[in-house]
Amino acid sequence: LAIGMSPSARAAFAALSQSASAGAEQRANFVVRRSSAFWDAFAQAQEQGVPLSSSAARPFKVFPSFVDEVAGSKGSGKKPVVEAGEGHGPRKEFFLLAGASMCGLQQQQQQQAAQRADSQAPKPLFTFNRSAGAFWYNATLQQSPALQAAYRFAGWLVGQSLNNKAPLGIRLPAVLLQQQLLGLSKVQHTLSDLEAFDPDAAANIQKVAALPPGQLRDMMEVEGLPASTTAEQYIRHAVRQVLLDDVKWQAQAFGEGLASALQVSLLQSWCLGGAELAEVVAGEAGGAGSSVDIDVPKLFRVVMDPELGGKEGVLGELLWEVLASWTPERQRLFLQFVTGSQRPPLPGSELLKVESPFIAFGLQQHKAQLGMLPQAHTCDNLLELPNYWASLLQVSGFKSAAAVPPEKVQELRQECFRILDDRLTLAVTCFSGYGLDERDGGSSGGDAGDDVVDVVEDTPGAARKQGDVTRQQQQQQPGMVQDRCW
């Protein structure tokens, strides 16, 4: 029966079963600011004596009220003005706000509220892991009784989100929840678990394990491991370190809070594993699945080269049109090409720079530029586009966009769209690895940070604006080379 249900339906039945076995449902009343929902509720839970590390799971019905922060700031310091409203709507809003708050997604609002209160905004308990596409324990935090209690409340809140049928709206990794279901002392993580969670970390571990014996011994000494450590032993050690040892106190405290809100045995009886639980907590099906379109201009803070936009340069506008016409799978290849990962970042958290660093002189160079492919520099989220629009105008006999007759504009735009679509598709689907820029004479002069990588061989005559870098032909078609900073 359970297998045929959606994860949310299974979670609802598990919560009902727990409520029936626990008897009367208890009540938790929180009065919170929207800018600090998690931390306000955490402080009040401690004051009210809400059990956050009880061995017996107790479901609570949460009844939140919201402080009118605008009205409150105009008052005389007396009791804060509380908004009217009750029921499931405010409850759902509270859980979403609390999830965002404990992950630092309201950091700016928290900092402003802290400044008004002459205090310091708390650091997030969970940080976004780009490779995983999910939030993971904040490994930079130093263990303290206060933070341990905060992680217990986070676990309690995750459990109560199921009991209250109110998702937190944040994506936690399946492996984080699975290790709580199995028990930290019993779980045995494998490289496959890490690959599913953080492919980049898993790939780095495999690279170290594949080193020749002599280099592996040297690396083990650097890592503080016995020189006799084998590749298999190193993999087991490194996987456990990433998934558990580096965040052990956070995971233990989180698990205590979760167990005080949910009966693990009930979740297992309703076939709720880590992946299903993560879906229910997030309140979405599948998360960042490949079937979801990616709106690049909304996902990033875009910095566009002026010559690619405006009336004279329409290439920037055509770039968004090309990406919007692509399938989600190809859009993710674009993300990988430009940022080094197919996982979308948090909206607005990263810059995307689009530049046209090439200069063409004369008709022949403009013709050559139309055949060039885009380049990417993943260390800076930088996309370099040959100015196909400017070159197309020159090849078509027009010195500027203003000289194009109105009846020819649409025809030229369509041709430029086709060129950009074709060149960018080839670049994002055929790049094969990383290579380093080379300077004249093989010199590697300049800072180490200048060692970036080409995506495409240069076309003769199309020089970079910087002028001091000569690109070398680094590969043969169809393979491309992508940029990476080390």
Side-chain angles (χ1 to χ4, degrees), residues 326 330 337 371-374 420-431 455-456 477-480:
W326 283 3
R330 188 173 295 176
F337 179 69
M372 291 177 63
L373 300 180
L420 176 59
D421 185 21
D422 177 77
R423 307 300 186 265
L424 191 57
T425 295
L426 185 60
V428 305
T429 56
C430 294
F431 74 86
V455 174
V456 58
Q477 297 285 6
M480 303 297 141

Coordinates of all heavy atoms in Angstrom, one line a residue, residues 326 330 337 371-374 420-431 455-456 477-480:
W326 N 16.4 26.3 -25.7 CA 17.0 25.0 -25.5 C 16.2 24.1 -24.6 O 15.4 24.6 -23.8 CB 18.4 25.2 -24.9 CG 19.4 25.7 -26.0 CD1 19.2 25.9 -27.3 CD2 20.8 25.9 -25.7 NE1 20.4 26.3 -27.9 CE2 21.4 26.3 -26.9 CE3 21.6 25.8 -24.6 CZ2 22.8 26.6 -27.1 CZ3 23.0 26.1 -24.7 CH2 23.5 26.5 -26.0
R330 N 20.2 20.7 -22.3 CA 21.2 21.5 -22.9 C 21.5 22.8 -22.0 O 22.6 23.3 -22.0 CB 20.8 21.9 -24.3 CG 21.9 22.6 -25.1 CD 21.6 22.8 -26.5 NE 21.5 21.5 -27.2 CZ 21.1 21.4 -28.5 NH1 20.8 22.5 -29.2 NH2 21.0 20.2 -29.1
F337 N 29.3 24.4 -18.7 CA 30.3 25.1 -19.5 C 30.8 26.4 -18.9 O 32.0 26.7 -18.9 CB 29.7 25.3 -20.9 CG 30.6 26.0 -21.9 CD1 31.6 25.4 -22.5 CD2 30.3 27.3 -22.3 CE1 32.5 26.0 -23.4 CE2 31.1 27.9 -23.2 CZ 32.2 27.3 -23.8
G371 N 33.0 32.5 -37.5 CA 33.3 31.1 -37.4 C 33.9 30.7 -36.0 O 34.0 29.5 -35.7
M372 N 34.2 31.7 -35.2 CA 34.7 31.4 -33.9 C 33.7 30.8 -32.9 O 32.5 31.0 -33.1 CB 35.3 32.6 -33.3 CG 36.6 33.2 -34.0 SD 37.2 34.7 -33.2 CE 37.6 34.1 -31.6
L373 N 34.2 30.1 -31.9 CA 33.3 29.5 -30.9 C 33.4 30.3 -29.6 O 34.5 30.9 -29.3 CB 33.6 28.1 -30.7 CG 33.5 27.1 -31.9 CD1 33.8 25.7 -31.4 CD2 32.1 27.2 -32.4
P374 N 32.4 30.3 -28.8 CA 32.5 31.0 -27.5 C 33.6 30.3 -26.6 O 33.9 29.2 -26.8 CB 31.1 30.8 -26.9 CG 30.2 30.6 -28.0 CD 31.1 29.8 -29.0
L420 N 24.6 32.1 -33.5 CA 24.9 32.0 -32.0 C 24.4 30.7 -31.5 O 25.1 30.0 -30.7 CB 24.2 33.2 -31.3 CG 24.2 33.1 -29.8 CD1 25.7 33.2 -29.3 CD2 23.5 34.3 -29.2
D421 N 23.2 30.2 -31.9 CA 22.7 28.9 -31.5 C 23.7 27.8 -31.9 O 24.0 26.9 -31.1 CB 21.3 28.7 -32.1 CG 20.7 27.5 -31.6 OD1 21.1 27.0 -30.5 OD2 19.7 27.0 -32.3
D422 N 24.1 27.9 -33.2 CA 25.0 26.8 -33.7 C 26.4 26.8 -32.9 O 26.8 25.7 -32.5 CB 25.2 27.0 -35.2 CG 26.2 26.0 -35.8 OD1 25.8 24.9 -36.0 OD2 27.4 26.4 -36.0
R423 N 27.0 28.0 -32.8 CA 28.3 28.0 -32.2 C 28.3 27.7 -30.7 O 29.1 27.0 -30.2 CB 28.9 29.4 -32.4 CG 29.0 30.0 -33.8 CD 29.8 29.1 -34.7 NE 29.9 29.7 -36.0 CZ 29.1 29.5 -37.1 NH1 28.1 28.6 -37.0 NH2 29.3 30.1 -38.2
L424 N 27.3 28.2 -30.0 CA 27.2 27.9 -28.6 C 26.8 26.5 -28.3 O 27.3 25.9 -27.3 CB 26.1 28.9 -27.9 CG 26.1 28.9 -26.4 CD1 27.5 29.3 -25.8 CD2 25.1 29.9 -25.9
T425 N 26.0 25.9 -29.1 CA 25.6 24.5 -29.0 C 26.9 23.6 -29.2 O 27.1 22.7 -28.4 CB 24.6 24.1 -30.0 OG1 23.3 24.8 -29.8 CG2 24.3 22.6 -30.0
L426 N 27.7 23.9 -30.2 CA 28.9 23.2 -30.4 C 29.8 23.3 -29.2 O 30.4 22.3 -28.7 CB 29.6 23.6 -31.7 CG 30.8 22.9 -32.1 CD1 30.5 21.4 -32.4 CD2 31.4 23.5 -33.3
A427 N 29.9 24.5 -28.6 CA 30.8 24.7 -27.5 C 30.4 23.9 -26.3 O 31.2 23.3 -25.6 CB 30.9 26.2 -27.2
V428 N 29.1 24.0 -25.9 CA 28.7 23.4 -24.7 C 28.5 21.9 -24.8 O 28.5 21.2 -23.7 CB 27.3 24.0 -24.2 CG1 27.4 25.5 -24.1 CG2 26.1 23.6 -25.1
T429 N 28.4 21.3 -26.0 CA 28.2 19.9 -26.1 C 29.5 19.2 -26.4 O 29.5 17.9 -26.3 CB 27.1 19.6 -27.2 OG1 27.5 20.2 -28.4 CG2 25.8 20.1 -26.8
C430 N 30.5 19.9 -26.8 CA 31.7 19.2 -27.3 C 33.0 19.5 -26.5 O 34.1 19.0 -26.8 CB 32.0 19.5 -28.8 SG 30.7 18.9 -29.9
F431 N 32.9 20.4 -25.5 CA 34.2 20.6 -24.8 C 34.5 19.3 -24.0 O 33.6 18.6 -23.6 CB 34.0 21.8 -23.8 CG 33.2 21.6 -22.6 CD1 33.7 21.0 -21.4 CD2 31.8 21.9 -22.6 CE1 33.0 20.8 -20.3 CE2 31.1 21.7 -21.5 CZ 31.6 21.1 -20.3
V455 N 38.4 27.7 -24.3 CA 37.4 26.8 -24.7 C 37.5 26.5 -26.2 O 37.0 25.5 -26.7 CB 36.0 27.5 -24.4 CG1 34.9 26.6 -25.0 CG2 35.8 27.7 -23.0
V456 N 38.1 27.3 -27.0 CA 38.1 27.2 -28.4 C 39.4 27.7 -29.0 O 39.9 28.7 -28.5 CB 36.9 27.8 -29.0 CG1 36.8 29.3 -28.7 CG2 36.9 27.7 -30.6
Q477 N 39.0 19.8 -33.6 CA 37.6 19.6 -33.5 C 37.3 18.1 -33.5 O 38.0 17.4 -34.1 CB 36.9 20.3 -34.8 CG 37.1 21.8 -34.8 CD 36.2 22.5 -33.8 OE1 35.5 21.9 -33.0 NE2 36.2 23.8 -33.9
P478 N 36.2 17.6 -32.9 CA 35.1 18.5 -32.3 C 35.4 18.8 -30.8 O 34.6 19.4 -30.2 CB 33.9 17.6 -32.4 CG 34.4 16.2 -32.3 CD 35.8 16.2 -32.9
G479 N 36.5 18.3 -30.2 CA 36.6 18.5 -28.7 C 36.9 19.9 -28.4 O 37.7 20.6 -29.1
M480 N 36.4 20.4 -27.3 CA 36.6 21.8 -26.9 C 37.4 21.7 -25.6 O 37.4 20.7 -24.9 CB 35.3 22.5 -26.6 CG 34.4 22.6 -27.8 SD 35.2 23.5 -29.2 CE 34.6 22.5 -30.5

